[in-house]
Amino acid sequence: MARKAKKRRYSRSSGSDVESEMRRYKKGTAKSGRGGRGGRVKSRKQAIAIGLSKARKKGKKVPKKASKRKTSKKTSKKKTSKKSSTRRSTKRSR
């Protein structure tokens, strides 16, 4: 069977944006948040995410962010026999 050619998920130029952000992170000058007000970037993953978001803003080929999935509880209906709908009144002892 012939294999399908794999598609490139990221453009090569987007890799250069991530690379430059990693350099800033290693140097200690990478800042997070709007206008760099969020403080210093402390993790490699955060630096990569910043580089990818910069590439997205420039319009380079980068996959979309993973959407947050809504967790819905599945309600399983149990088969129960319904009794008469009249309530039994409880007598209060005084």
Side-chain angles (χ1 to χ4, degrees), residues 21-39:
E21 191 61 36
M22 285 303 293
R23 274 197 211 100
R24 290 181 62 214
Y25 160 70
K26 287 176 183 177
K27 212 187 242 188
T29 58
K31 302 267 182 127
S32 65
R34 191 174 176 121
R37 294 177 186 167

Side-chain angles (χ1 to χ4, degrees), residues 64-76:
K64 291 180 181 178
K65 289 182 184 179
S67 61
K68 292 180 183 178
R69 293 182 183 176
K70 292 181 182 178
T71 55
S72 60
K73 293 180 182 178
K74 291 184 180 178
T75 56
S76 58

Side-chain angles (χ1 to χ4, degrees), residues 45-85:
K45 283 185 179 182
Q46 191 179 5
I48 292 166
I50 291 167
L52 287 174
S53 71
K54 285 182 179 179
R56 274 190 197 98
K57 285 176 186 173
K58 289 179 185 175
K60 295 180 180 177
K61 184 184 170 189
V62 183
K64 291 180 181 178
K65 289 182 184 179
S67 61
K68 292 180 183 178
R69 293 182 183 176
K70 292 181 182 178
T71 55
S72 60
K73 293 180 182 178
K74 291 184 180 178
T75 56
S76 58
K77 293 182 180 178
K78 293 181 181 178
K79 292 182 181 178
T80 56
S81 59
K82 289 188 177 181
K83 294 184 179 179
S84 61
S85 61

